[in-house]
């Protein structure tokens, strides 16, 4: 019998602490800026950096540390406006690093 994995978010914030970059598109920047009551230029200056190899923008912060928008309560401060990369997890992409720390994965028998 095959074992299937299913995902139920526990809102633990572990996925937001895994080292790496959060890439943001132009649409993500516009949505996030509006959610924070900022204009796009101010948001871009305050919250984004040029991604490695100049391939777009990513959220500022230490790539080895938690996401800049992860609150002390382990919840995303911009959840309704979160970037596509974040919205797409876990249905459209996964990584072994996140799966290793994420308690949301359960296996059905």
């Amino acid at each position: 019998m095959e074992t299937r994995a299913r995902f139920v978010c526990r809102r633990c914030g572990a996925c937001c602490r895994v080292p790496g970059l959060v890439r943001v598109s132009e649409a993500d920047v516009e949505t996030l800026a509006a959610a924070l009551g900022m204009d796009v230029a101010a948001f871009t200056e305050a919250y984004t950096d040029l991604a490695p190899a100049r391939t777009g923008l990513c959220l500022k912060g230490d790539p080895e540390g938690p996401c800049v928008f992860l609150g002390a309560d382990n919840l995303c401060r911009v959840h309704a406006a979160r970037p596509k990369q974040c919205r797409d997890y876990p249905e459209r992409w996964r990584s072994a690093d996140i799966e290793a720390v994420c308690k949301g994965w359960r296996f059905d028998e």
Side-chain angles (χ1 to χ4, degrees), residues 3-46:
T3 301
R4 294 181 328 156
R6 68 182 174 90
F7 180 78
V8 178
C9 182
R10 303 290 200 143
R11 292 172 175 59
C12 67
C15 57
C16 302
R17 286 189 200 85
V18 171
L21 297 174
V22 176
R23 295 182 179 276
V24 290
S25 67
E26 186 176 329
D28 290 331
V29 169
E30 291 171 2
T31 301
L32 286 161
L36 294 172
M38 302 172 78
D39 66 44
V40 169
F43 176 86
T44 302
E45 178 69 26

Short mmCIF file of all heavy atoms in Angstrom, two decimals, residues 3-46:
data_model
loop_
_atom_site.label_atom_id
_atom_site.label_comp_id
_atom_site.label_asym_id
_atom_site.label_seq_id
_atom_site.Cartn_x
_atom_site.Cartn_y
_atom_site.Cartn_z
N THR A 3 1.98 5.06 0.70
CA THR A 3 1.77 6.07 1.73
C THR A 3 1.77 7.44 1.07
O THR A 3 2.66 7.76 0.30
CB THR A 3 2.89 6.02 2.79
OG1 THR A 3 2.89 4.71 3.36
CG2 THR A 3 2.65 7.03 3.88
N ARG A 4 0.75 8.23 1.34
CA ARG A 4 0.65 9.58 0.76
C ARG A 4 0.88 10.63 1.84
O ARG A 4 0.44 10.46 2.98
CB ARG A 4 -0.73 9.80 0.16
CG ARG A 4 -1.03 8.94 -1.02
CD ARG A 4 -2.39 9.23 -1.58
NE ARG A 4 -3.30 9.64 -0.53
CZ ARG A 4 -4.38 10.38 -0.72
NH1 ARG A 4 -4.70 10.77 -1.91
NH2 ARG A 4 -5.16 10.70 0.28
N ALA A 5 1.51 11.71 1.44
CA ALA A 5 1.73 12.82 2.36
C ALA A 5 0.62 13.85 2.16
O ALA A 5 0.17 14.09 1.06
CB ALA A 5 3.08 13.47 2.10
N ARG A 6 0.17 14.42 3.25
CA ARG A 6 -0.77 15.53 3.17
C ARG A 6 -0.24 16.64 4.06
O ARG A 6 0.51 16.39 5.00
CB ARG A 6 -2.17 15.12 3.54
CG ARG A 6 -2.37 14.74 4.98
CD ARG A 6 -3.81 14.30 5.22
NE ARG A 6 -3.96 13.83 6.57
CZ ARG A 6 -4.28 14.59 7.62
NH1 ARG A 6 -4.54 15.86 7.46
NH2 ARG A 6 -4.36 14.09 8.82
N PHE A 7 -0.64 17.84 3.78
CA PHE A 7 -0.11 18.99 4.48
C PHE A 7 -1.22 19.73 5.22
O PHE A 7 -2.26 20.03 4.64
CB PHE A 7 0.55 19.95 3.49
CG PHE A 7 1.13 21.17 4.14
CD1 PHE A 7 2.34 21.10 4.81
CD2 PHE A 7 0.46 22.38 4.10
CE1 PHE A 7 2.87 22.23 5.43
CE2 PHE A 7 0.99 23.50 4.72
CZ PHE A 7 2.20 23.43 5.37
N VAL A 8 -0.99 19.98 6.50
CA VAL A 8 -1.90 20.78 7.32
C VAL A 8 -1.03 21.80 8.06
O VAL A 8 -0.25 21.44 8.93
CB VAL A 8 -2.67 19.91 8.34
CG1 VAL A 8 -3.56 20.78 9.21
CG2 VAL A 8 -3.47 18.83 7.63
N CYS A 9 -1.14 23.06 7.67
CA CYS A 9 -0.28 24.09 8.27
C CYS A 9 -0.54 24.20 9.77
O CYS A 9 -1.68 24.27 10.22
CB CYS A 9 -0.54 25.44 7.59
SG CYS A 9 0.52 26.75 8.23
N ARG A 10 0.54 24.21 10.54
CA ARG A 10 0.46 24.33 12.00
C ARG A 10 0.73 25.76 12.47
O ARG A 10 0.76 26.03 13.66
CB ARG A 10 1.49 23.41 12.66
CG ARG A 10 1.36 21.97 12.30
CD ARG A 10 0.12 21.40 12.91
NE ARG A 10 0.25 19.96 12.97
CZ ARG A 10 -0.20 19.24 13.97
NH1 ARG A 10 -0.80 19.80 14.97
NH2 ARG A 10 -0.06 17.94 13.93
N ARG A 11 1.03 26.65 11.53
CA ARG A 11 1.33 28.05 11.82
C ARG A 11 2.48 28.20 12.83
O ARG A 11 2.44 29.02 13.73
CB ARG A 11 0.09 28.78 12.27
CG ARG A 11 -0.92 28.92 11.14
CD ARG A 11 -2.23 29.47 11.59
NE ARG A 11 -3.18 29.72 10.53
CZ ARG A 11 -3.67 28.87 9.67
NH1 ARG A 11 -3.25 27.65 9.67
NH2 ARG A 11 -4.55 29.21 8.76
N CYS A 12 3.49 27.36 12.62
CA CYS A 12 4.65 27.36 13.51
C CYS A 12 5.73 28.33 13.05
O CYS A 12 6.64 28.66 13.81
CB CYS A 12 5.23 25.96 13.64
SG CYS A 12 5.99 25.33 12.12
N GLY A 13 5.68 28.77 11.79
CA GLY A 13 6.67 29.69 11.26
C GLY A 13 7.98 29.04 10.86
O GLY A 13 8.90 29.73 10.42
N ALA A 14 8.09 27.73 10.97
CA ALA A 14 9.35 27.06 10.64
C ALA A 14 9.75 27.30 9.18
O ALA A 14 10.92 27.51 8.88
CB ALA A 14 9.25 25.56 10.92
N CYS A 15 8.78 27.29 8.28
CA CYS A 15 9.09 27.49 6.86
C CYS A 15 9.65 28.89 6.60
O CYS A 15 10.41 29.10 5.65
CB CYS A 15 7.86 27.25 5.99
SG CYS A 15 6.43 28.26 6.41
N CYS A 16 9.31 29.84 7.45
CA CYS A 16 9.77 31.23 7.30
C CYS A 16 11.15 31.45 7.93
O CYS A 16 11.67 32.56 7.87
CB CYS A 16 8.77 32.18 7.91
SG CYS A 16 7.12 32.02 7.19
N ARG A 17 11.70 30.41 8.54
CA ARG A 17 13.02 30.51 9.15
C ARG A 17 14.09 29.72 8.39
O ARG A 17 15.25 29.79 8.72
CB ARG A 17 12.97 29.97 10.59
CG ARG A 17 12.30 30.89 11.53
CD ARG A 17 12.50 30.38 12.97
NE ARG A 17 11.49 30.97 13.80
CZ ARG A 17 10.26 30.50 13.96
NH1 ARG A 17 9.90 29.38 13.38
NH2 ARG A 17 9.40 31.13 14.72
N VAL A 18 13.68 28.95 7.40
CA VAL A 18 14.63 28.16 6.62
C VAL A 18 15.48 29.11 5.79
O VAL A 18 14.97 30.02 5.16
CB VAL A 18 13.88 27.14 5.72
CG1 VAL A 18 14.83 26.46 4.75
CG2 VAL A 18 13.18 26.11 6.58
N PRO A 19 16.80 28.91 5.80
CA PRO A 19 17.68 29.79 5.02
C PRO A 19 17.31 29.83 3.54
O PRO A 19 16.91 28.82 2.96
CB PRO A 19 19.06 29.16 5.21
CG PRO A 19 18.96 28.43 6.51
CD PRO A 19 17.55 27.91 6.55
N GLY A 20 17.42 31.00 2.97
CA GLY A 20 17.15 31.18 1.55
C GLY A 20 16.59 32.55 1.26
O GLY A 20 16.46 33.39 2.15
N LEU A 21 16.27 32.76 0.01
CA LEU A 21 15.73 34.05 -0.44
C LEU A 21 14.26 33.93 -0.76
O LEU A 21 13.79 32.89 -1.22
CB LEU A 21 16.45 34.50 -1.72
CG LEU A 21 17.94 34.76 -1.61
CD1 LEU A 21 18.49 35.06 -2.99
CD2 LEU A 21 18.21 35.91 -0.66
N VAL A 22 13.53 35.02 -0.53
CA VAL A 22 12.15 35.11 -0.97
C VAL A 22 12.14 36.09 -2.13
O VAL A 22 12.34 37.29 -1.95
CB VAL A 22 11.21 35.59 0.15
CG1 VAL A 22 9.79 35.75 -0.39
CG2 VAL A 22 11.23 34.63 1.32
N ARG A 23 11.97 35.55 -3.32
CA ARG A 23 11.93 36.39 -4.51
C ARG A 23 10.56 37.04 -4.62
O ARG A 23 9.55 36.42 -4.28
CB ARG A 23 12.23 35.56 -5.75
CG ARG A 23 13.64 35.02 -5.72
CD ARG A 23 13.98 34.24 -6.96
NE ARG A 23 15.33 33.76 -6.90
CZ ARG A 23 16.40 34.46 -7.25
NH1 ARG A 23 16.26 35.68 -7.70
NH2 ARG A 23 17.61 33.94 -7.15
N VAL A 24 10.54 38.28 -5.11
CA VAL A 24 9.29 39.01 -5.26
C VAL A 24 9.19 39.57 -6.68
O VAL A 24 10.15 40.09 -7.22
CB VAL A 24 9.12 40.14 -4.22
CG1 VAL A 24 8.88 39.56 -2.83
CG2 VAL A 24 10.30 41.08 -4.20
N SER A 25 8.00 39.44 -7.24
CA SER A 25 7.73 39.97 -8.57
C SER A 25 7.23 41.40 -8.45
O SER A 25 6.96 41.90 -7.35
CB SER A 25 6.65 39.12 -9.25
OG SER A 25 5.41 39.29 -8.57
N GLU A 26 7.06 42.04 -9.58
CA GLU A 26 6.50 43.38 -9.59
C GLU A 26 5.11 43.38 -8.96
O GLU A 26 4.77 44.26 -8.16
CB GLU A 26 6.43 43.90 -11.03
CG GLU A 26 6.00 45.34 -11.14
CD GLU A 26 6.04 45.85 -12.57
OE1 GLU A 26 6.88 45.38 -13.35
OE2 GLU A 26 5.20 46.72 -12.89
N ALA A 27 4.31 42.37 -9.29
CA ALA A 27 2.96 42.26 -8.71
C ALA A 27 3.03 42.06 -7.20
O ALA A 27 2.24 42.64 -6.45
CB ALA A 27 2.20 41.11 -9.37
N ASP A 28 3.98 41.24 -6.73
CA ASP A 28 4.15 41.03 -5.29
C ASP A 28 4.48 42.35 -4.60
O ASP A 28 3.93 42.66 -3.54
CB ASP A 28 5.29 40.04 -5.00
CG ASP A 28 4.99 38.61 -5.39
OD1 ASP A 28 3.82 38.20 -5.39
OD2 ASP A 28 5.97 37.89 -5.69
N VAL A 29 5.40 43.11 -5.19
CA VAL A 29 5.81 44.39 -4.60
C VAL A 29 4.61 45.33 -4.50
O VAL A 29 4.39 45.97 -3.46
CB VAL A 29 6.96 45.02 -5.42
CG1 VAL A 29 7.21 46.46 -4.99
CG2 VAL A 29 8.23 44.19 -5.26
N GLU A 30 3.83 45.41 -5.56
CA GLU A 30 2.64 46.29 -5.55
C GLU A 30 1.65 45.86 -4.48
O GLU A 30 1.12 46.69 -3.74
CB GLU A 30 1.99 46.30 -6.93
CG GLU A 30 2.83 46.99 -7.97
CD GLU A 30 2.31 46.83 -9.38
OE1 GLU A 30 1.24 46.19 -9.57
OE2 GLU A 30 2.97 47.34 -10.30
N THR A 31 1.41 44.57 -4.37
CA THR A 31 0.46 44.05 -3.38
C THR A 31 0.95 44.28 -1.96
O THR A 31 0.19 44.72 -1.08
CB THR A 31 0.22 42.55 -3.63
OG1 THR A 31 -0.30 42.38 -4.95
CG2 THR A 31 -0.77 41.97 -2.63
N LEU A 32 2.22 43.98 -1.72
CA LEU A 32 2.79 44.18 -0.39
C LEU A 32 2.82 45.65 0.00
O LEU A 32 2.47 46.00 1.14
CB LEU A 32 4.20 43.59 -0.32
CG LEU A 32 4.27 42.07 -0.29
CD1 LEU A 32 5.64 41.58 -0.71
CD2 LEU A 32 3.89 41.56 1.08
N ALA A 33 3.20 46.51 -0.93
CA ALA A 33 3.23 47.95 -0.65
C ALA A 33 1.84 48.44 -0.26
O ALA A 33 1.68 49.16 0.74
CB ALA A 33 3.76 48.72 -1.86
N ALA A 34 0.83 48.05 -1.02
CA ALA A 34 -0.54 48.47 -0.72
C ALA A 34 -0.98 47.96 0.65
O ALA A 34 -1.59 48.69 1.43
CB ALA A 34 -1.49 47.98 -1.81
N ALA A 35 -0.65 46.70 0.95
CA ALA A 35 -1.04 46.12 2.24
C ALA A 35 -0.41 46.85 3.42
O ALA A 35 -0.99 46.93 4.50
CB ALA A 35 -0.67 44.64 2.28
N LEU A 36 0.79 47.38 3.19
CA LEU A 36 1.50 48.10 4.27
C LEU A 36 1.24 49.60 4.22
O LEU A 36 1.81 50.35 5.01
CB LEU A 36 3.00 47.81 4.18
CG LEU A 36 3.39 46.36 4.46
CD1 LEU A 36 4.86 46.14 4.14
CD2 LEU A 36 3.09 45.99 5.91
N GLY A 37 0.40 50.05 3.29
CA GLY A 37 0.08 51.47 3.19
C GLY A 37 1.26 52.30 2.71
O GLY A 37 1.41 53.46 3.10
N MET A 38 2.08 51.72 1.85
CA MET A 38 3.28 52.40 1.34
C MET A 38 3.17 52.55 -0.17
O MET A 38 2.47 51.77 -0.81
CB MET A 38 4.53 51.58 1.66
CG MET A 38 4.76 51.31 3.12
SD MET A 38 6.15 50.14 3.38
CE MET A 38 7.53 51.26 3.13
N ASP A 39 3.90 53.52 -0.72
CA ASP A 39 3.97 53.54 -2.17
C ASP A 39 5.05 52.54 -2.59
O ASP A 39 5.87 52.10 -1.78
CB ASP A 39 4.21 54.94 -2.73
CG ASP A 39 5.56 55.54 -2.39
OD1 ASP A 39 6.58 54.84 -2.47
OD2 ASP A 39 5.59 56.75 -2.06
N VAL A 40 5.02 52.15 -3.86
CA VAL A 40 5.91 51.10 -4.36
C VAL A 40 7.38 51.46 -4.17
O VAL A 40 8.19 50.63 -3.76
CB VAL A 40 5.59 50.78 -5.83
CG1 VAL A 40 6.64 49.89 -6.45
CG2 VAL A 40 4.22 50.12 -5.93
N ALA A 41 7.73 52.71 -4.43
CA ALA A 41 9.14 53.12 -4.30
C ALA A 41 9.62 53.00 -2.86
O ALA A 41 10.71 52.51 -2.59
CB ALA A 41 9.33 54.54 -4.82
N ALA A 42 8.79 53.44 -1.92
CA ALA A 42 9.17 53.37 -0.51
C ALA A 42 9.28 51.92 -0.05
O ALA A 42 10.21 51.55 0.68
CB ALA A 42 8.16 54.13 0.35
N PHE A 43 8.34 51.07 -0.47
CA PHE A 43 8.40 49.66 -0.11
C PHE A 43 9.67 49.02 -0.68
O PHE A 43 10.38 48.30 0.01
CB PHE A 43 7.17 48.89 -0.61
CG PHE A 43 7.27 47.43 -0.35
CD1 PHE A 43 6.86 46.90 0.86
CD2 PHE A 43 7.82 46.57 -1.29
CE1 PHE A 43 7.00 45.54 1.14
CE2 PHE A 43 7.96 45.21 -1.03
CZ PHE A 43 7.55 44.70 0.18
N THR A 44 9.93 49.29 -1.96
CA THR A 44 11.09 48.71 -2.63
C THR A 44 12.38 49.09 -1.90
O THR A 44 13.24 48.24 -1.67
CB THR A 44 11.14 49.14 -4.10
OG1 THR A 44 9.93 48.72 -4.74
CG2 THR A 44 12.33 48.53 -4.83
N GLU A 45 12.49 50.34 -1.51
CA GLU A 45 13.68 50.81 -0.80
C GLU A 45 13.81 50.15 0.57
O GLU A 45 14.88 49.72 0.98
CB GLU A 45 13.62 52.33 -0.64
CG GLU A 45 14.77 52.92 0.12
CD GLU A 45 16.10 52.85 -0.62
OE1 GLU A 45 16.10 52.81 -1.86
OE2 GLU A 45 17.15 52.81 0.06
N ALA A 46 12.69 50.06 1.28
CA ALA A 46 12.72 49.55 2.65
C ALA A 46 12.83 48.03 2.74
O ALA A 46 13.45 47.51 3.67
CB ALA A 46 11.46 50.01 3.40
#
